[in-house]
Amino acid sequence: MLQDMGFESDVMSALNSDPNRRPPASEQFIANLPKVNDFCAADKCCVCLREFVVNQVVALECGHKFHTDCITRWLRLNNSCPVCRTEFPTDDQEYETNKRLKRQKEATLQELHHSMFS
Ligand SMILES: [Zn+2]
Ligand SMILES: [Zn+2]
């Protein structure tokens, strides 16, 4: 139990200290992004830098707009707006599990590496 708690706080501090290790946005959040058609012709998607196409634009809560495909791909890697870094909901449970599995995998790979090269 104590070990578990130590692990959790370790994860939390890693999360807070490393901005590159953000969880992806929640799938439900991505699925429910509102479509918008009130963009101006001069507006461009900040992910791919191309112009917007009618019926393929969604707006984030912060007001920034992106192609549906672009922001979907982005939010599956990152839980924040690519422009202003506003953070969005995540499937925390899943993130924790993935993180745990990833760590285990890394540890296993390291062990393997050591046993192969030492
Ligand atoms: Zn785009
Ligand atoms: Zn934004």
Side-chain angles (χ1 to χ4, degrees), residues 55-74:
N55 288 328
Q56 288 181 33
V57 183
V58 291
L60 297 180
E61 283 165 21
C62 55
H64 290 116
K65 295 164 193 159
F66 306 90
H67 292 120
T68 314
D69 290 350
C70 293
I71 201 61
T72 299
R73 236 175 297 155
W74 172 271

Side-chain angles (χ1 to χ4, degrees), residues 21-27 29-30 73-80 88-92 94-95 98:
R21 287 196 166 234
R22 293 252 173 81
S26 116
E27 281 293 329
F29 174 79
I30 296 172
R73 236 175 297 155
W74 172 271
L75 288 174
R76 290 206 166 120
L77 302 171
N78 215 309
N79 72 324
S80 60
F88 305 115
T90 67
D91 295 323
D92 265 351
E94 200 179 306
Y95 174 63
N98 283 343

Side-chain angles (χ1 to χ4, degrees), residues 19-51:
N20 294 320
R21 287 196 166 234
R22 293 252 173 81
S26 116
E27 281 293 329
Q28 210 192 352
F29 174 79
I30 296 172
N32 290 316
L33 286 173
K35 278 201 171 162
V36 291
N37 279 320
D38 64 335
F39 52 87
C40 6
D43 279 353
K44 283 189 175 131
C45 168
C46 287
V47 176
C48 66
L49 303 178
R50 296 204 191 106
E51 282 163 23

Side-chain angles (χ1 to χ4, degrees), residues 96-113:
E96 293 299 328
T97 310
N98 283 343
K99 183 118 183 164
R100 225 170 283 225
L101 289 174
K102 205 180 155 202
R103 278 202 177 192
Q104 270 171 14
K105 204 171 154 190
E106 271 169 9
T108 311
L109 282 175
Q110 249 178 9
E111 240 169 71
L112 199 70
H113 185 89

Side-chain angles (χ1 to χ4, degrees), residues 62 64 81 83-84 86:
C62 55
H64 290 116
C81 171
V83 178
C84 67
T86 298

